[in-house]
Amino acid sequence: MTLHDNDLKRSAGFMMGTAYRKISALFQSKLKEYDITTEQWSVLYQVDQSEGLIQKEIAERSGKDRPATTRILDQLEQKGLVGKRVGEHDRRSFKVYITDKGRELVQRTAPIERQLNADLRQCLSEEEYDVLLELLYRMYRHASDIAERD
Amino acid sequence: MTLHDNDLKRSAGFMMGTAYRKISALFQSKLKEYDITTEQWSVLYQVDQSEGLIQKEIAERSGKDRPATTRILDQLEQKGLVGKRVGEHDRRSFKVYITDKGRELVQRTAPIERQLNADLRQCLSEEEYDVLLELLYRMYRHASDIAERD
DNA sequence: ATAATATAATTGTTTACACAACTAATTAAT
DNA sequence: ATTAATTAGTTGTGTAAACAATTATATTAT
């Protein structure tokens, strides 16, 4: 990915993938000693933020499909970081809760994530960062609309 | 990913991943009948653009690491879309070339990619699209710098 | 010239993704 | 009330990612 590049670099989707992979790998390297992956982290964090969500909701909020969510939750459960309770009103679903161990891990790692985000933002102004988020969100919504349409 | 969301949506890395996955899946659905994945497509396209590159260069330009590139090229080779020739001056490396079949596939699918990109851009102005690319590229460079540093 | 170092590519392992097919529970339709 | 349709979650399969370790060739340092 140097500057003598071609059309691919002019594609937003391609650039998102490239930048995402780099950032994700960077975050992963900071999580090395915590025995958790970035994707697991984002799900765990989500569960901590709003406890009692069912898997479907977790999937939506963490931008993953349901199979991926199932399997990530399985791993978090194996590690003793989250647990499931069958839904009271709907026995198809499971409410997911975080364990003490999970909460402790979030408390120790959330600062790392915040610091990384702060470091990453250094290359942009406050306003640019907001613009970036806004444009990414619009692209995401628009892509979802197109996908539903056809 | 609805609007009642939390902090994760305020993280550029997270939003890039989410939007990237959606866009990639959309592109994949358009490629259904061509027996090629989006990642394979980007590598094939790259090879078509500048023939005779060695794998290391292809990896750099398509934003993948070398193992990923090796394996994607393997699949493209199995499908008869690309071939390798041992480097004349350096017998560790391989120059990769596109086959007639590969070239034909690019010709048939490149318009699909262009159309999708055009459709995706509809939600942004010309200027916004350029800004998005610019900001993504800066974030990518900055993340790379941080990664090298520590 | 030989040994040490670096580089290009590959292989192994674990994780995650997309998609399709499936099970079990719930809701709607007749 | 029974059947049909829908929904929550899971499982299977193929592809791709990151990282570490390995092989083979090139480069450098002594």
Side-chain angles (χ1 to χ4, degrees), chain B residues 37 39-40 64-65 67-68 71-72 75 91-92:
Chain B
T37 68
E39 304 302 337
Q40 288 165 19
K64 302 185 183 313
D65 67 1
R71 286 185 257 238
I72 289 179
Q75 308 213 47
R91 284 185 323 181
R92 286 172 303 184

Side-chain angles (χ1 to χ4, degrees), chain B residues 68-85:
Chain B
T69 307
T70 292
R71 286 185 257 238
I72 289 179
L73 284 171
D74 279 352
Q75 308 213 47
L76 291 175
E77 198 176 16
Q78 271 188 6
K79 292 177 183 172
L81 302 171
V82 304
K84 299 176 181 182
R85 269 191 283 269

Side-chain angles (χ1 to χ4, degrees), chain B residues 9 20 25 45 57 69 96-97 111:
Chain B
K9 218 190 67 211
Y20 160 70
Y45 181 78
E57 296 164 331
T69 307
V96 181
Y97 62 91

